[in-house]
Structures are given as structure tokens and as C-alpha cells.
């Protein structure tokens, strides 16, 4: 059931290890000059709407929070819990470290198949730290494609809550706008080609799925509801019938996929974007051989700022005004990713200049799902 996506991930990860970038020649002038760059910071584009719709609390970097459209507050820096290697115990150790460092936002999903380890880590951490309460930790989970039928949406949340050892979640998302069929044992049904059997009715009309999400919000089992990987067109359709607006749209965002139009649409409709893969990917862009971590301008910004590249990319996301969700199983990186600086105007504009005009998506599950959500894009 889960092997398709995990094997997809690891095949791309393994392929990237064999790629060697060319050494970038040293430049004679700094990439960040003292002259203003011809780039307007994104969040200045519509300051009136941005400030009014998403108020940030006092504090800097990882201490920031946003207020969602229903009044629920969400920490701006979350910890992604997808276990890359899938090793037993890895998630428990990573989440424990994240909580010890100070993360108070955990991004989970039914599909990750490790919510029991997340739940154990949270339970044990709270037991050892009585000054921290359950309500201090913002927990998000998601319903997978084959559980879009209304009764299955509710089953999914209850199943996740049981594993997470909580009575409610702070945010519940529809993981993908693609519905699939399931087997009696709640596994994904696949066809002879190995791809998901798409439920066309619920994919074309997600209203029954969203009505179940709204019922869970009404019941208090989910303090806020939202979506993930939804396009502008999908959100427009959803907003036409939604009684409760989605509070969040979790999407891939990084300098090689700034997703500016979609981010702005979300802001205009009081939907908070949340960036997964905010650090890009270890993989290269097939058509150009570029990798986010090798970009000379981004590395010059990091050097100029005195911080590492990951911290710069997270700071860029926060200044653009949305939630960022870094993930790592390395203790030192878990800690450094939570130390998010404030970028200067020059540093921010330099990153914006790299992002301008780029649109490459690292996460596209079309070969597993048997459905292409972005048919106009090249891989």
C-alpha cells in the first residue's frame, strides 16, 4: 500500500547522490550589494490585507505565531514528522528532540504510518515537563486519498487521534485533492498497473468529503480544518460550497517553487499557506542540473547573514508571511532549523531574485496516484 510512494522517494533520493555539480567560479563582486535590488518584497505587495488578515505575535524567528481565519493560533515554525528512512524509533527520537528544542507545532499525517511514535514522544515529553500542557502543542494530521468518503474521513481522524494519544487535533487537512478507492482493511486499492484506483466521483466533487471535515470541526475533534496540495482552481471550487473556509493550504514552497500566485490567492481568501519542503530537495532539476543547496546566490546570502542556508530559507518563508515545516532526523539540524534569523531587506531581496521566474516541483505523486494534478508542468 505504502511502498509506491516510499520507493518513489528513495529512488529519487538515491539518484541525487550520484549527481555532482560543477564548481562555481568565484565572483569578483558580492552578490548582495549595498544598492537596492530591483525586487519588491512579496509581503509588501498588499500590506493592508496581509497585516489585517494574519497578525503575527511579538517575537522573532521561531517564536512567531499566526492567527488563522477562525481565531486559532498556529506556530509559524513547525516540525515535519515524515520519516524518510522509515526506521522504527526514528520518529520518536526526532520528535522528542524537537520538543526539547522548543518546537510546539508537529506536522503529522495518517499516511506517514508513524503517528504512534509521535504520540508516545508527546506523551513522554509532557510527563517529564509538567509546565508544558497538551494545549501548548499544536498538532496537525491529514486524511489520505483513499479515505475521502465521509464515514472514512471521520474514521481517519479517530484512528490518528488514537495513535497520537490525544482527544483532538489542532488542524486536520485533506492531504491531496485526489480521492481513491480503499479495500476492506482500509488499505489503498491499486489496479493491475500498480497505481491507485481513483474515485472519480469524490475527486470531481469533494463536497461530501468537506462536509465531513466541517462536522469534525463542529464537534471540536479538529480545532481547524484545511487542505494540502490544492490548486487555485480547486480552492475556488471548494470556496463556492464551503460553510467553513479552509484555514490552511499546505503546499510545496521553496526558492525553486515560490508558488507566488497560489500563495497570494490564499492570502486574498484568508487561507494560511504552510510550506512543506521549505528547504527544497537534495535532488537536482533534471533539465538544468540545479539544486537548491548549490545555488551560489543563496549560499552567498547565507555567508553574508552568518547563518546556514536552511536557516536563511526558513527566514525567507517567514518573511513572506506563511508557516514553514522543516523536517530532519539529525539532532543538530533539528536544533539549528529552530534558530530562524530575521533577514535584512538586501538578503530577503536576493533570495526573491533567485526565486523569480522559477517553477520546479520536487513532489509530484502522479505515477503513484494515476492522476496528474499539474498536467501542464514538466518534471
Amino acid at each position: 500500500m505504502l511502498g509506491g510512494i516510499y520507493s518513489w522517494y528513495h529512488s529519487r533520493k538515491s539518484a541525487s547522490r550520484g549527481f555532482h555539480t560543477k564548481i562555481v567560479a568565484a565572483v569578483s563582486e558580492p552578490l548582495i550589494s549595498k544598492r537596492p535590488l530591483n525586487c519588491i518584497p512579496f509581503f509588501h505587495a498588499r500590506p493592508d490585507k496581509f497585516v489585517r488578515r494574519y497578525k503575527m505575535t511579538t517575537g522573532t524567528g521561531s517564536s512567531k505565531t499566526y492567527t488563522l481565519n477562525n481565531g486559532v493560533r498556529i506556530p509559524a515554525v513547525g516540525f515535519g514528522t515524515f520519516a524518510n528512512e522509515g526506521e522504527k524509533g526514528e520518529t520518536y527520537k526526532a520528535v522528542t528532540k524537537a520538543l526539547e528544542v522548543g518546537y510546539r507545532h508537529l506536522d503529522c499525517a495518517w499516511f506517514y504510518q508513524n503517528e504512534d511514535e509521535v504520540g508516545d514522544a508527546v506523551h513522554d515529553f509532557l510527563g517529564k515537563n509538567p509546565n508544558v500542557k497538551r494545549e501548548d502543542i499544536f498538532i496537525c494530521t491529514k486524511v489520505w486519498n483513499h479515505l475521502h468518503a465521509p464515514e472514512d474521513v471521520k474514521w481517519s481522524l479517530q484512528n490518528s487521534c488514537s495513535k497520537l494519544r490525544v482527544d483532538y487535533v489542532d488542524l486536520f487537512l485533506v492531504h491531496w485533492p485526489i480521492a481513491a478507492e480503499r479495500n476492506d482493511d482500509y488499505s489503498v486499492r491499486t489496479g493491475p498497473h500498480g497505481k491507485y484506483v481513483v474515485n472519480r466521483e469524490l475527486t470531481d466533487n469533494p463536497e461530501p468529503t468537506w462536509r465531513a471535515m466541517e462536522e469534525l470541526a463542529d464537534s471540536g475533534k479538529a480545532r481547524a480544518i484545511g487542505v494540502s496540495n490544492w490548486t487555485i482552481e480547486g480552492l475556488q471550487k471548494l470556496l463556492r460550497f464551503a460553510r467553513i473556509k479552509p484555514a490552511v493550504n499546505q503546499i510545496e514552497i521553496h526558492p525553486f517553487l515560490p508558488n507566488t500566485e497560489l500563495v497570494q490567492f490564499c492570502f486574498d481568501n484568508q487561507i494560511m499557506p504552510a510550506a512543506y519542503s521549505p528547504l527544497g530537495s537534495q535532488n537536482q532539476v533534471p533539465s538544468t542540473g540545479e539544486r537548491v543547496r548549490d545555488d551560489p546566490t543563496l549560499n552567498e546570502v547565507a555567508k553574508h547573514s552568518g547563518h546556514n542556508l536552511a536557516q536563511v530559507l526558513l527566514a525567507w518563508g517567514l518573511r513572506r508571511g506563511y508557516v514553514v515545516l522543516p523536517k530532519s532526523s539529525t539532532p543538530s539540524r533539528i536544533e539549528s532549523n529552530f534558530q530562524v534569523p530575521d533577514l535584512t531587506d538586501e538578503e530577503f531581496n536576493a533570495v526573491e531574485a533567485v526565486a523569480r521566474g522559477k517553477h520546479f516541483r520536487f513532489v509530484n505523486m502522479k505515477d503513484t496516484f494515476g492522476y496528474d494534478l499539474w498536467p501542464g508542468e514538466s518534471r
Side-chain angles (χ1 to χ4, degrees):
M1 173 184 67
L2 304 177
I5 291 180
Y6 276 103
S7 61
W8 172 88
Y9 176 87
H10 290 299
S11 65
R12 289 183 58 82
K13 185 174 181 181
S14 298
S16 72
R17 292 192 182 110
F19 176 78
H20 299 282
T21 57
K22 296 180 180 179
I23 298 175
V24 180
V27 293
S28 58
E29 294 183 3
L31 292 170
I32 304 173
S33 72
K34 296 299 181 183
R35 300 186 300 275
L37 297 176
N38 184 25
C39 177
I40 300 174
F42 176 87
F43 73 99
H44 284 162
R46 306 186 71 170
D48 55 329
K49 294 189 177 184
F50 171 79
V51 173
R52 184 166 61 248
R53 290 179 175 176
Y54 293 109
K55 296 180 180 178
M56 193 177 292
T57 62
T58 57
T60 58
S62 54
S63 67
K64 294 177 179 177
T65 64
Y66 299 107
T67 301
L68 299 177
N69 59 25
N70 66 346
V72 170
R73 289 170 57 181
I74 182 172
V77 179
F79 182 71
T81 64
F82 179 63
N84 294 345
E85 308 301 334
E87 296 177 359
K88 188 68 176 176
E90 178 183 301
T91 299
Y92 178 90
K93 290 186 290 186
V95 171
T96 297
K97 177 63 178 180
L99 293 170
E100 290 171 349
V101 165
Y103 290 84
R104 293 296 180 265
H105 175 177
L106 302 176
D107 181 62
C108 312
W110 185 93
F111 169 73
Y112 299 165
Q113 293 293 291
N114 60 359
E115 289 183 314
D116 54 342
E117 292 189 34
V118 176
D120 289 345
V122 171
H123 179 269
D124 292 350
F125 178 80
L126 292 177
K128 296 175 183 177
N129 297 271
N131 57 315
V132 182
K133 308 299 182 186
R134 158 66 185 96
E135 55 268 26
D136 298 325
I137 302 176
F138 188 100
I139 298 177
C140 168
T141 191
K142 314 176 193 75
V143 57
W144 195 242
N145 305 25
H146 66 307
L147 300 172
H148 280 206
E151 63 275 13
D152 291 338
V153 171
K154 297 172 184 178
W155 178 91
S156 176
L157 180 55
Q158 184 55 51
N159 187 256
S160 287
C161 282
S162 297
K163 293 178 179 178
L164 291 166
R165 303 176 70 169
V166 296
D167 297 324
Y168 68 93
V169 295
D170 299 275
L171 179 62
F172 189 41
L173 305 179
V174 179
H175 209 149
W176 289 87
I178 304 165
E181 301 290 346
R182 72 167 175 86
N183 297 314
D184 292 340
D185 64 354
Y186 289 93
S187 62
V188 180
R189 182 178 302 170
T190 57
H193 44 57
K195 298 179 180 180
Y196 287 13
V197 176
V198 175
N199 181 322
R200 294 286 175 179
E201 183 177 356
L202 284 176
T203 298
D204 294 340
N205 176 26
E207 184 171 357
T209 301
W210 192 250
R211 293 295 178 231
M213 297 288 288
E214 291 175 328
E215 288 183 27
L216 290 169
D218 290 338
S219 72
K221 293 286 289 185
R223 296 180 64 222
I225 55 176
V227 295
S228 179
N229 296 301
W230 284 49
T231 63
I232 290 176
E233 293 75 18
L235 290 172
Q236 287 172 331
K237 178 189 288 188
L238 176 58
L239 290 171
R240 282 195 288 270
F241 62 74
R243 175 173 59 84
I244 299 177
K245 265 188 179 184
V248 168
N249 184 21
Q250 189 180 124
I251 52 178
E252 182 180 350
I253 314 176
H254 46 74
F256 281 15
L257 185 68
N259 245 326
T260 303
E261 185 180 1
L262 177 53
V263 168
Q264 188 63 63
F265 180 87
C266 289
F267 283 149
D268 290 343
N269 288 275
Q270 297 182 296
I271 301 169
M272 172 56 67
Y276 70 76
S277 298
L279 309 182
S281 170
Q282 297 183 58
N283 301 314
Q284 71 270 23
V285 178
S287 59
T288 65
E290 296 175 282
R291 284 194 291 192
V292 175
R293 69 181 185 183
D294 295 328
D295 185 271
T297 300
L298 296 179
N299 280 286
E300 185 66 20
V301 173
K303 181 179 178 181
H304 179 275
S305 70
H307 298 89
N308 65 41
L309 179 57
Q311 291 169 327
V312 167
L313 298 183
L314 295 173
W316 173 71
L318 292 188
R319 183 155 171 180
R320 289 180 102 211
Y322 46 73
V323 171
V324 292
L325 301 167
K327 64 180 179 67
S328 178
S329 58
T330 305
S332 61
R333 291 176 185 167
I334 292 172
E335 188 163 357
S336 64
N337 287 347
F338 197 63
Q339 299 166 353
V340 184
D342 289 323
L343 299 181
T344 66
D345 290 345
E346 291 171 310
E347 292 162 352
F348 175 79
N349 288 338
V351 180
E352 283 283 279
V354 171
R356 190 186 304 120
K358 284 189 171 62
H359 192 91
F360 181 77
R361 191 179 308 280
F362 290 108
V363 181
N364 190 339
M365 305 297 189
K366 65 178 182 178
D367 295 333
T368 297
F369 294 163
Y371 186 100
D372 193 352
L373 187 59
W374 304 285
E377 296 182 4
S378 61
R379 291 298 305 270

